[in-house]
Amino acid sequence: MTKQPILELKELNVALLEDKIQQTEIIKNIDIKIPKGEIVGIVGESGSGKSMTMRAIMDILPENAQRNFSTFTFEGEPVSFAKASKRLPISMIFQDPMTSLNPLRKIGYHLIEVIRRQQKLSKKAAKKLAIQELEKVGLTNPEKRMTQYPHELSGGMRQRVMIAMALLVKPKLLIADEPTTALDVTIQAQILTLIQKLQKEEDLTVVLVTHDFGIVAGMCQSVKVMYQGEIVEEGTTDEIFYQSQHPYTKELLKAVPTVEKGQRLYAIQHQLETGEPLTAAQKEFRQLSETHRVQVAKERRA
Ligand SMILES: Nc1ncnc2c1ncn2[C@@H]1O[C@H](COP(=O)(O)OP(=O)(O)OP(=O)(O)O)[C@@H](O)[C@H]1O
Ligand SMILES: [Mg+2]
């Protein structure tokens, strides 16, 4: 039986307005279903639209980008286009924590701001809660960290702070967009272990964007493969690893040095020689199992 999706988006489009007349489609009519309670991997080369898709879900696209969809449901409830998904219990963490931290403000300030935006608490109570949250994400010396500036912390510690801030809004869905790409291997493994642990303990669903199939093999129950603004194949991790059908998925897997957990990150830069791209009308999905589907060229009927 397929799991109840926590989030479902149909016919999601994102277009960038280059200038007043020029418009580029960067996300092309994709359907996304995120099964509840899973860690779902999103893979695809640089520029394939992974971050834009995540930003479209969060409604935090750049100003010159526009999103469109036909339906959006969260835990089975329809979310209207007008109602910002910002209000949904979804949090996102990014590759570079520095972009979300104010270098002039102490760590404690950041956490207390998030807390006080959510609930009426005295400064003292908010501080206590912030320290608890820092402990939860495994930061040593949380009291001291509260009084430090972002630059006084290592990249791994900053990412833990970002995770603590993300958890403060009590999300049901956590979107992690290459959360460990900027970190070295050991720290990368620690952060991923933390995400896994939190997923279980906090009953979270996680969407993990990564370049690294090793990480997918170690952590994800299912995978979506993106290519040029579309999801070209999706399935359980086993289906994608052992029975991939789309040529692009196969190329991505070929570029993987080994699929062992903790492998060094491997950026995939392979360009497919596909010649002329197919138009939307020339493509369709073939359903291979309840969970596995792949985009194929429509068969020409004589
Ligand atoms: N701020 C922006 N303004 C204009 N175009 C952008 C912007 N950000 C991304 N793009 C374009 O949108 C497309 C999708 O980019 P996106 O950042 O979603 O890719 P990605 O899969 O996340 O890549 P990466 O693995 O490098 O993070 C690309 O063609 C990119 O050039
Ligand atoms: Mg990205």
Side-chain angles (χ1 to χ4, degrees), residues 16 26-27 44-53 62 64 95 177-178 209 211:
L16 276 178
I26 47 173
I27 303 300
E45 72 195 347
S46 198
S48 56
K50 305 180 296 295
S51 296
M52 283 296 186
T53 305
N64 62 335
Q95 176 174 337
D177 189 355
E178 307 203 42
V209 176
H211 276 105

Side-chain angles (χ1 to χ4, degrees), residues 93-224:
I93 54 172
F94 302 87
Q95 176 174 337
D96 180 9
M98 265 326 241
T99 55
S100 324
L101 293 170
N102 181 342
L104 304 175
R105 296 287 195 175
K106 291 176 180 166
I107 299 302
Y109 171 89
H110 291 87
L111 292 155
I112 289 167
E113 270 292 280
V114 179
I115 295 167
R116 295 184 107 189
R117 237 181 282 145
Q118 309 234 50
Q119 41 184 317
K120 277 210 168 74
L121 277 185
S122 68
K123 208 159 182 189
K124 200 172 155 205
K127 191 177 160 199
K128 195 172 157 212
L129 192 60
I131 292 171
Q132 277 173 3
E133 209 65 41
L134 290 179
E135 271 167 2
K136 197 194 281 176
V137 298
L139 210 62
T140 53
N141 269 332
E143 277 98 351
K144 183 179 164 211
R145 304 299 170 217
M146 293 282 286
T147 65
Q148 289 182 305
Y149 288 96
H151 74 265
E152 296 179 77
L153 272 57
S154 68
M157 282 154 73
R158 285 199 287 262
Q159 197 55 287
R160 286 184 197 265
V161 170
M162 290 312 302
I163 295 171
M165 282 167 68
L167 292 180
L168 279 172
V169 308
K170 307 226 177 313
K172 292 184 175 168
L173 176 64
L174 176 70
I175 298 176
D177 189 355
E178 307 203 42
T180 61
T181 306
L183 305 173
D184 67 42
V185 201
T186 20
I187 309 298
Q188 182 178 326
Q190 288 171 13
I191 297 291
L192 294 171
T193 308
L194 172 67
I195 292 175
Q196 256 176 326
K197 176 177 153 253
L198 292 169
Q199 188 262 328
K200 286 199 198 89
E201 287 173 2
E202 308 282 308
D203 202 16
L204 281 172
T205 303
V206 177
V207 174
L208 181 68
V209 176
T210 175
H211 276 105
D212 191 332
F213 263 111
I215 291 175
V216 171
M219 289 186 65
C220 301
Q221 285 81 57
S222 63
V223 196
K224 299 185 194 303

Side-chain angles (χ1 to χ4, degrees), residues 16-26 64:
L16 276 178
L17 308 165
E18 310 273 359
D19 52 50
K20 287 206 175 71
I21 26 175
Q22 266 278 320
Q23 194 174 323
T24 327
E25 295 283 325
I26 47 173
N64 62 335

Side-chain angles (χ1 to χ4, degrees), residues 242-261:
Y242 302 115
Q243 295 156 37
S244 63
Q245 296 294 317
H246 197 278
Y248 180 66
T249 314
K250 291 179 185 172
E251 286 300 323
L252 274 185
L253 283 163
K254 248 194 247 167
V256 176
T258 75
V259 288
E260 268 172 56
K261 201 174 166 182

